[in-house]
Amino acid sequence: MDVPNIQVTIPGRYTASAGNPAPFVIPALREWYGGNGSYTLPATITLAIDPVYASALLPGITAFRDDLRLLTGNRQISIRQGQPRKGDIFFTLQSPDRQLGDEGYQMEIGNQITIQATHARGAFWATRTLLQILEQDPQHRRIPQGITRDYPKYEVRGFVLDVGRKFFTMEFLRHYVKFMSYYKMNDFHIHLNDNGFEKFFGNNWDSTYSAFRLENNTFPGLTARDGSYSKKEFLALQSLADSFAVRIIPEIDVPAHSLAFTKAVPQIASLKYGRDHLNLDSASYAMIDKVFKEYLEGPEKVFKGDEVHIGTDEYSKKEAEKFRAFTDHYIRFVESFGKKVRMWGSLTHAQGTTPVKSAGVTMNAWYNGYADPADMMRQGYDLISSPDGWLYIVPAAGYYHDYLNLPKLYDNWEPNMIGEAVFPIGHPQIRGGSFAVWNDHPGNGITEKDVHDRVFPAMQVLAEKMWNGHTLQSNYNSFSQHSHQIGEGPGLNMRAKINSRDSIVLSYDFSTPAVNDISANKRAAQQKHNADITPSKTLLLKGGNSFIKTPLPEIGYGYTVEFDIKPTKDNLPEAVIFSSPHAVVTLLQQQTGKLGFTREGYHYNFNYTLPAETWTHVAISGDHKGTSLFINGQLVEKLEGATISFPNIKDKIAKVQTLVFPLQMIGDTVNSFKGEIDNLKVIQHR
């Protein structure tokens, strides 16, 4: 029943402590009793596992060992079964505290660390706490002594990524499993198919962008050609997620958002409501049954987890009865393979008399006009709070959020709030929350790096809100100040942030053959190939396979990279000045003859041509809004705020011209520019 929120104080086991204050982690520890002094990681680290629970604990502890090695640089980390010794980190599922639930843990930090949980997931979350504490210690060795009892307020702590309208590499998805896990976010919902808006593609469905991202043997033409995941890759992603306590929730979105399906089988398209709608006849059922079946049956099911999302969003309400019958069919069809079903909330929008199964079904409550949450709960649905006005990121679209309003979220929201509706804390039908990135505008230039720049700070705030909710200790200013101390997790640096003693992260004056770094960071070049230091102390690159390799792959927003350059007259189109796996900066961008850059298949140029046989001082600055070119100290052009226009419509979309600057090589292995470079300086803005 709906009852007012009641605050209850439960006496703790310990009185207030004058010992160590609670360490800062995200999400914050629920309970802490401070001891005195610190536990220090020994030179040889042993992770001891209670032998009774070894099989359950080993995958997560193996992941912890690997992360510890990445964070500390210490290779002397072993896993053994047995009782703990002094200095060990000990894990057991023999916990007398059954109220910890599946994801809670108790950790006692003294001369050794003892972690007790009732389930392997809880024990694993304890390792994320340890890693975050160690990350903030300059030596990555010390952890304050004390006792913590930690557990989540909400079961589902999620993130939705639209990979249908923008392809994200499998490497990115694997990184995101680890990144989410670092913040105890446990629900990664992958939206596998979608399409752009017809009006931006000449009002022609044939040319409107659409994609379905999974390998499909039944309908080979269904799988996107510009980026997809093999079944083997997708299975491996889910296995990785299992070891990091993250659920992968695959979504096949039907019967709207379905242009990829109707392009593969044209007869199932609705001619009345648009070809992104299935026509909901027997042919539609026959195809979609086969698509789901391919991933749900067999000895090694491609969808491994317990839950599968069937979409069911934004279909024309003029066909409400047919839509409701379709939704009910796919709930029962997917359940027949032993799965639980999730769906988007649409049944207030599609009101009717045709029954739709609710028992055991979870609904993403995203907009109360489409699914009134109180009514959906009365009908029997469990909800995941996904309110669009609070939690939808649509990059550079001009509607919803480009970046979430983090102070407002931190101070005012938690998953019991769905739109304007507020429900009692602990309502049994609200499973948790999930925020989302929707890439509504295919072709607008948004990159993986740009999406991550938006998601990273939101992940930190929403991890806090979904694990703890709002507490008396919640303080956004303090949280924001301390959150900068915690990154993406061991081995990850998708934002391309660089540790540096000051703002200058790299500086080469090419005064020595070894190419030493004259900044305070001492990042000398790692390799030099077919490149010379001239008598006048400059770097000479010779075209083709000619480069020096730096220790830095790239630098993220905001930065300035400045250098002097003197190209020869005979450079080829696309001649590369700087390169990395994600981007190149070119002397002669494509056929324009201008200075420019390429990343993720998007090509941009400044309205400037570098003169041959002449020294020019170049500075390129970049942030999350765009990229600027300065020549000899003067601003030449700022690539920012551009839009793309379309025939016969007033609507425009943003043209995003950002650049995470490539630094892995000066030059290239295939088409280096010919000429000289001097006085390279890389500056990271504070």
Side-chain angles (χ1 to χ4, degrees):
M1 66 176 67
D2 288 351
V3 295
N5 293 328
I6 300 170
Q7 185 168 325
V8 177
T9 301
I10 301 172
R13 182 176 299 172
Y14 303 98
T15 57
S17 167
N20 293 322
F24 178 82
V25 293
I26 303 174
L29 301 172
R30 298 296 294 272
E31 303 175 29
W32 171 262
Y33 180 75
N36 296 298
S38 297
Y39 165 91
T40 301
L41 282 174
T44 300
I45 302 166
T46 299
L47 310 179
I49 303 177
D50 186 335
V52 177
Y53 307 102
S55 61
L57 287 167
L58 188 58
I61 305 312
T62 301
F64 177 47
R65 178 199 63 193
D66 295 343
D67 283 343
L68 263 182
R69 286 174 173 171
L70 287 168
L71 177 65
T72 64
N74 186 350
R75 310 303 297 176
Q76 303 301 312
I77 306 173
S78 63
I79 299 173
R80 68 168 176 84
Q81 296 183 31
Q83 293 306 303
R85 305 173 188 135
K86 183 179 178 181
D88 287 356
I89 302 175
F90 176 65
F91 298 84
T92 181
L93 301 184
Q94 183 61 46
S95 172
D97 187 354
R98 310 315 291 178
Q99 294 184 11
L100 287 171
D102 285 354
E103 295 189 281
Y105 63 92
Q106 181 164 309
M107 179 161 57
E108 186 165 350
I109 305 161
N111 293 326
Q112 65 187 42
I113 297 176
T114 299
I115 294 163
Q116 295 178 320
T118 65
H119 191 282
R121 285 195 294 274
F124 184 78
W125 293 140
T127 70
R128 305 303 93 180
T129 297
L130 291 174
L131 289 168
Q132 286 196 9
I133 295 170
L134 288 168
E135 180 185 0
Q136 296 170 80
D137 175 56
Q139 303 301 317
H140 305 315
R141 293 191 65 199
R142 298 196 306 170
I143 299 168
Q145 294 193 8
I147 304 170
T148 183
R149 187 172 178 271
D150 199 20
Y151 43 88
K153 190 171 185 177
Y154 293 94
E155 171 210 351
V156 173
R157 305 179 300 280
F159 171 60
V160 182
L161 182 61
D162 170 14
V163 305
R165 285 175 286 202
K166 171 177 169 47
F167 179 65
F168 292 81
T169 64
M170 181 53 69
E171 178 187 51
F172 184 91
L173 300 187
R174 291 177 69 87
H175 286 345
Y176 254 54
V177 164
K178 296 178 181 180
F179 164 52
M180 289 179 63
S181 174
Y182 198 53
Y183 289 96
K184 302 186 179 77
M185 295 285 278
N186 66 351
D187 204 89
F188 190 9
H189 173 165
I190 302 176
H191 181 80
L192 287 166
N193 67 280
D194 217 316
N195 48 266
F197 300 126
E198 182 196 24
K199 64 183 179 180
F200 296 133
F201 296 87
N203 287 311
N204 183 337
W205 286 115
D206 287 330
S207 58
T208 299
Y209 185 83
S210 65
F212 178 82
R213 297 298 183 190
L214 264 186
E215 173 190 354
N216 191 277
N217 298 328
T218 310
F219 302 97
L222 175 61
T223 304
R225 295 178 180 176
D226 68 334
S228 64
Y229 315 120
S230 70
K231 293 178 181 178
K232 183 177 180 181
E233 284 179 316
F234 204 72
L235 282 163
L237 175 69
Q238 293 166 89
S239 295
L240 176 74
D242 288 343
S243 64
F244 279 83
V246 173
R247 291 184 292 252
I248 299 292
I249 308 297
E251 179 191 353
I252 296 175
D253 195 2
V254 285
H257 300 270
S258 296
L259 184 60
F261 299 107
T262 68
K263 284 183 177 180
V265 182
Q267 61 265 36
I268 69 172
S270 170
L271 302 180
K272 186 174 182 181
Y273 301 113
R275 282 175 49 196
D276 60 341
H277 282 48
L278 305 182
N279 61 19
L280 304 186
D281 67 2
S282 58
S284 296
Y285 282 86
M287 181 196 184
I288 302 304
D289 279 4
K290 290 176 183 176
V291 171
F292 273 109
K293 189 175 182 181
E294 181 165 333
Y295 304 118
L296 292 172
E297 73 172 3
E300 190 172 33
K301 300 175 178 63
V302 178
F303 292 167
K304 290 176 57 178
D306 294 335
E307 296 185 77
V308 172
H309 204 293
I310 63 169
T312 68
D313 187 28
E314 297 185 303
Y315 197 87
S316 173
K317 66 181 179 181
K318 294 178 182 178
E319 299 289 351
E321 300 299 348
K322 282 188 174 183
F323 170 80
R324 293 172 70 90
F326 182 94
T327 301
D328 185 69
H329 170 82
Y330 281 101
I331 291 172
R332 297 176 188 276
F333 186 77
V334 171
E335 285 180 342
S336 73
F337 293 91
K339 304 296 186 183
K340 295 178 181 178
V341 170
R342 294 193 192 177
M343 56 190 277
W344 292 105
S346 286
L347 297 184
T348 300
H349 172 76
Q351 293 187 39
T353 58
T354 303
V356 181
K357 185 177 186 293
S358 62
V361 177
T362 297
M363 182 179 285
N364 285 87
W366 67 280
Y367 173 55
N368 296 6
Y370 263 77
D372 177 78
D375 185 38
M376 294 303 104
M377 288 191 283
R378 282 191 290 270
Q379 291 186 34
Y381 293 99
D382 289 338
L383 302 185
I384 295 172
S385 178
S386 314
D388 57 348
W390 289 90
L391 300 183
Y392 274 18
I393 298 170
V394 187
Y399 54 86
Y400 285 128
H401 296 280
D402 193 18
Y403 288 76
L404 295 184
N405 186 334
L406 300 183
K408 184 178 179 183
L409 277 169
Y410 188 94
D411 289 337
N412 298 294
W413 184 84
E414 67 174 277
N416 70 308
M417 301 173 63
I418 304 174
E420 299 302 315
V422 181
F423 298 94
I425 296 291
H427 196 297
Q429 287 173 270
I430 297 179
R431 294 180 63 189
S434 196
F435 73 111
V437 168
W438 300 107
N439 298 294
D440 284 12
H441 293 165
N444 68 350
I446 283 286
T447 67
E448 291 180 345
K449 301 286 189 183
D450 293 316
V451 169
H452 183 59
D453 194 65
R454 288 154 171 79
V455 170
F456 176 80
M459 191 73 73
Q460 290 187 315
V461 166
L462 290 166
E464 180 68 30
K465 303 304 292 185
M466 294 182 196
W467 185 272
N468 281 302
H470 193 81
T471 72
L472 294 176
Q473 290 75 39
S474 295
N475 181 293
Y476 179 73
N477 289 334
S478 175
F479 176 88
S480 178
Q481 178 182 355
H482 288 93
S483 66
H484 297 291
Q485 301 169 14
I486 302 178
E488 299 160 11
L492 299 180
N493 188 15
M494 293 174 278
R495 295 180 302 152
K497 297 299 183 183
I498 300 172
N499 291 325
S500 180
R501 294 179 180 273
D502 53 35
S503 62
I504 301 173
V505 301
L506 183 76
S507 182
Y508 291 165
D509 65 1
F510 305 106
S511 60
T512 60
V515 188
N516 291 317
D517 179 11
I518 60 173
S519 80
N521 301 294
K522 307 306 178 186
R523 294 185 168 106
Q526 296 177 327
Q527 184 182 356
K528 184 167 63 175
H529 178 80
N530 193 28
D532 296 326
I533 303 301
T534 69
S536 54
K537 310 298 185 184
T538 66
L539 174 68
L540 175 65
L541 296 175
K542 303 174 183 179
N545 185 5
S546 177
F547 63 87
I548 68 167
K549 187 175 181 181
T550 85
L552 298 177
E554 55 197 356
I555 186 169
Y557 317 133
Y559 64 81
T560 297
V561 177
E562 57 181 70
F563 53 95
D564 297 320
I565 187 169
K566 185 171 81 169
T568 64
K569 292 180 179 179
D570 56 343
N571 274 282
L572 298 174
E574 307 281 8
V576 174
I577 307 173
F578 296 93
S579 56
S580 77
H582 297 122
V584 293
V585 173
T586 54
L587 177 72
L588 304 169
Q589 179 68 355
Q590 294 183 293
Q591 304 303 317
T592 65
K594 312 279 189 179
L595 180 67
F597 57 91
T598 295
R599 78 293 188 281
E600 283 197 26
Y602 293 97
H603 308 280
Y604 303 103
N605 65 269
F606 298 102
N607 188 24
Y608 180 79
T609 300
L610 278 164
E613 307 295 350
T614 300
W615 281 105
T616 303
H617 185 71
V618 177
I620 297 174
S621 293
D623 60 21
H624 69 282
K625 295 180 180 179
T627 313
S628 299
L629 173 67
F630 298 82
I631 297 295
N632 297 325
Q634 299 297 313
L635 176 65
V636 170
E637 188 173 14
K638 179 179 284 190
L639 300 181
E640 181 183 321
T643 58
I644 303 170
S645 301
F646 302 90
N648 305 318
I649 62 170
K650 294 181 180 179
D651 292 354
K652 299 178 180 180
I653 66 172
K655 182 179 182 180
V656 179
Q657 297 168 290
T658 51
L659 175 66
V660 169
F661 198 95
L663 290 170
Q664 187 171 81
M665 291 183 182
I666 307 172
D668 188 44
T669 59
V670 176
N671 187 24
S672 171
F673 92 101
K674 298 179 183 179
E676 297 174 65
I677 280 188
D678 200 7
N679 300 318
L680 171 66
K681 188 179 292 185
V682 180
I683 301 163
Q684 185 168 250
H685 302 164
R686 298 288 179 173

